[in-house]
Amino acid sequence: MVKQSIYPDVHKKTASGPRSYPIIGCFPQMSSKPLQFLTNAAREYGDVVHLGPIGPQQLYLIAHPDGVKHVLLDNFNNYVKGANFKDRDFTILVGNGLINSQGEAWRRQRRVMQPPFHSRQQLSAMFTLMTDVIEELLEQWRSIENAQIDVAAEMLKLSQKIVIKALLSLDTNSKETDQIIQAWRTVLAFHTRRIWAFFKVPLSIPTPRNVQFLQAVQTIDTIVYGIIRERKQGSNDYNDILSLLMNAHDESGESSSDELLRDEIVELFVAGFDTSATTLGWIWYLLSQHPNVEAKLQEELTAVLGGRTPTFEDLPNLKYTKMIIQETMRLYPAVWILSMNNVEDDEICGYHIPAGSMIVLSPYVTQHLPNFWENPDKFEPERWSPERSADRSRFAYLPFGGGPRQCIGEVFVTTEMQLIIAMISQQLRLNLVPGHPVEPDTRHVLRALHGLPMTLEPRKSRELTLQKM
Ligand code: HEM
C-alpha cells in the first residue's frame, strides 16, 4: 500500500526549492529538461516548491494532489490563467473563447459549450462519424501494408479530420479540411518555437515567421467565418457542434455573435487537435513496447467484438482498452503543465503564496509522485482496476485538469480513442522501427520529439506466423 503523505514539514510557511537566479529564477535548468527538473524538484522539496522569480513574479510548483485540488477546485476563484494565455499570438488565434476567458465571460461560454459534448445523443452521432473516418484511414493504410508510416503524423491527421467533421460537417477529403490541416502545421510550428522563448518578437514586426503565422490564422478564419455566414443566410440543419452552438442561447436569451462562434470553433481546434493526436501516438508506442499488454488487449477485443466494428454500446465493455488510455495519459499527459496567477495571498498545503505569484501545476509531475503511484515510471494499465483505484486521491491524476475548468472534450476524446484502438488493433499491429530514439518534447503538448516511425503488420499474417512457430 502506498503511503499518502511522506512530507514531514507541511507546517513550514515558506516553500523552499532549487538554487535560482535573480529575475530568471530556475529558468535555465527548467527550460533544458523541464520534466526531469520539475519531477526531481517535487521529490526533493515536497508538496510546494519555490522556483525563484520569473521576472517580477515568484514561481511555485504545486505537486501534492491536495494543493492541486485547492487551486483547481476549492479556491478556484482566486486563480486566473497564466502568462502563456495572455500572449498576443495566442489571443489572435483563440480570441475570446472558453480557454482564453475568465470570470463571468467564461461562465457564460462554458454554459453554452458544455452541453453538446455531454449529450449522449450527440456523442452517439459523433461515434458514427468517427467510425467512418477511422475506416477511411484503415482503407488508406491497407494500400501501404508493410510500409513505414509516421504514427505521430498519421494520428494528428486522423484527430484533425474527426474534430473538423464533428464541428463543421466538412468532408474529410474536402479542400477546406486540407487547408485547415496545412494552416495548422504553420500555427503549431510557430507556437512551439515561441511558447518557451524568453523574448517573443511582436507580431507587428513582419518577420517571415510572423507573416506566415498571420496568413495561416487568416486561412482558418476565412473558412470558419465563411461556413458561419453561409449557415446564417441559408440552412443550419446540420448534426454538428457548430449547429448546436448557433442554436444555443445564454441566460439573457442572446445567441453568440459570428466572432464568438469563430472563437469557439477555433479554440476547439486548439484544444482538440494535438492533445488527442499525441496521446494516441503514445498509446501505439507503449503497446509496441509491451507485448503482454498488447496480448491482453487482443483478448478483450476478441471477447467483446470478435472482429466486428464496435458500436457505441460496446464501449463500457472495452474496459482494458480504457485502462490503457488512462495509463498512457498518466505516463505521458499531453497537457503536462498548467499555469495560473493567484489574485490574493493564499496558503497551499500550509505554505504561504503571495498574491500575484505564478503557479504551475504539472500533471506529469503529480502523476509520477512515488507516494501516490507505485513504480511510477512503469506502464501498468492494471493499476486502473476498480480495486486498485478505489483509494486513490482524485487530484493525483489530472490529464484533463479538474474543477470547474475541467476539459469539456474528455468524454468525446475517450470515446474516440477507445474506438481508434479497437478498430486499428483488430486489424494491424504497429511496430516501432527498431532503434528509433523516442523522447518527449515539452515545447507544446507532450509529444515524441523525433516522431514515431512504425511499420504496419496485418494481424492475420502475424497470427499465422506465430502459429507456425
Ligand atoms: C487527450 C486529449 C485531451 C487532453 C489531454 C485535454 C486536456 C485538457 C486540460 C488539461 C484542460 C484544462 C486546461 C486548463 O485548466 O487550463 C482542457 C480544457 C479544455 N479542453 Fe481538453 N483535452 C483533450 C481533448 C479535448 C478535445 C477533443 C476537446 C474538444 C474538441 C477539448 C476541449 C477543451 C476545452 C474547450 C477546454 C477549456 C475548458 C475551460 O476552460 O473551461 N479537449 N483540456
Side-chain angles (χ1 to χ4, degrees), residues 403-462:
R405 286 200 94 127
Q406 174 147 343
C407 176
I408 63 169
E410 177 175 353
V411 183
F412 172 90
V413 79
T414 308
T415 303
E416 174 191 337
M417 292 194 289
Q418 268 183 297
L419 185 60
I420 291 173
I421 299 174
M423 285 181 70
I424 295 180
S425 278
Q426 286 194 105
Q427 300 203 14
L428 296 161
R429 186 175 199 282
L430 275 55
N431 301 310
L432 184 72
V433 167
H436 181 80
V438 176
E439 54 175 306
D441 177 3
T442 52
R443 286 172 300 165
H444 177 49
V445 292
L446 195 65
R447 56 191 168 157
L449 181 57
H450 312 287
L452 291 169
M454 294 197 181
T455 51
L456 304 175
E457 185 183 352
R459 189 64 66 187
K460 286 217 171 66
S461 74
R462 178 183 157 78

Side-chain angles (χ1 to χ4, degrees), residues 147-165:
Q148 196 175 302
I149 54 162
D150 180 0
V151 166
E154 292 287 309
M155 290 300 117
L156 179 56
K157 251 190 287 166
L158 177 63
S159 319
Q160 288 177 313
K161 286 182 173 180
I162 289 175
V163 171
I164 293 171
K165 199 162 181 184

Side-chain angles (χ1 to χ4, degrees), residues 72 81 85 98-101 106 110 113-114 117 163 167 264 267-280 329 333-340 363 398-402 404-410 412-414 416-417:
L72 292 180
K81 288 270 183 175
F85 294 89
L98 198 58
I99 299 178
N100 210 23
S101 56
W106 166 78
R110 179 98 194 181
M113 291 191 66
Q114 192 163 288
F117 285 93
V163 171
L167 297 182
E264 287 163 349
E267 80 171 352
L268 291 172
F269 294 169
V270 173
F273 281 175
D274 303 283
T275 45
S276 327
T278 196
T279 306
L280 283 161
M329 288 199 296
V335 180
W336 68 274
I337 194 163
L338 295 166
S339 70
M340 55 272 296
L398 59 148
F400 292 109
R405 286 200 94 127
Q406 174 147 343
C407 176
I408 63 169
E410 177 175 353
F412 172 90
V413 79
T414 308
E416 174 191 337
M417 292 194 289

Side-chain angles (χ1 to χ4, degrees), residues 318-450:
L318 295 174
K319 293 190 174 65
Y320 194 67
T321 313
K322 186 160 176 199
M323 284 154 73
I324 291 172
I325 298 169
Q326 288 171 302
E327 180 66 345
T328 303
M329 288 199 296
R330 184 187 70 79
L331 279 179
Y332 295 108
V335 180
W336 68 274
I337 194 163
L338 295 166
S339 70
M340 55 272 296
N341 296 99
N342 54 324
V343 181
E344 291 177 7
D345 280 6
D346 206 350
E347 191 177 308
I348 305 181
C349 299
Y351 295 95
H352 174 70
I353 309 291
S357 300
M358 184 183 272
I359 306 298
V360 294
L361 307 179
S362 171
Y364 184 93
V365 170
T366 301
Q367 293 167 190
H368 282 78
L369 286 178
N371 345 21
F372 295 90
W373 304 96
E374 227 168 318
N375 298 322
D377 298 330
K378 195 170 167 209
F379 178 58
E380 200 185 353
E382 288 71 16
R383 72 171 88 234
W384 291 98
S385 67
E387 312 78 61
R388 289 182 62 185
S389 315
D391 295 337
R392 190 172 296 137
S393 161
R394 152 69 186 89
F395 284 85
Y397 184 68
L398 59 148
F400 292 109
R405 286 200 94 127
Q406 174 147 343
C407 176
I408 63 169
E410 177 175 353
V411 183
F412 172 90
V413 79
T414 308
T415 303
E416 174 191 337
M417 292 194 289
Q418 268 183 297
L419 185 60
I420 291 173
I421 299 174
M423 285 181 70
I424 295 180
S425 278
Q426 286 194 105
Q427 300 203 14
L428 296 161
R429 186 175 199 282
L430 275 55
N431 301 310
L432 184 72
V433 167
H436 181 80
V438 176
E439 54 175 306
D441 177 3
T442 52
R443 286 172 300 165
H444 177 49
V445 292
L446 195 65
R447 56 191 168 157
L449 181 57
H450 312 287

Side-chain angles (χ1 to χ4, degrees), residues 230-244:
E230 214 172 89
R231 289 196 189 184
K232 282 201 168 166
Q233 283 156 13
S235 148
N236 183 27
D237 192 15
Y238 292 86
N239 194 3
D240 59 20
I241 302 279
L242 176 61
S243 166
L244 293 170

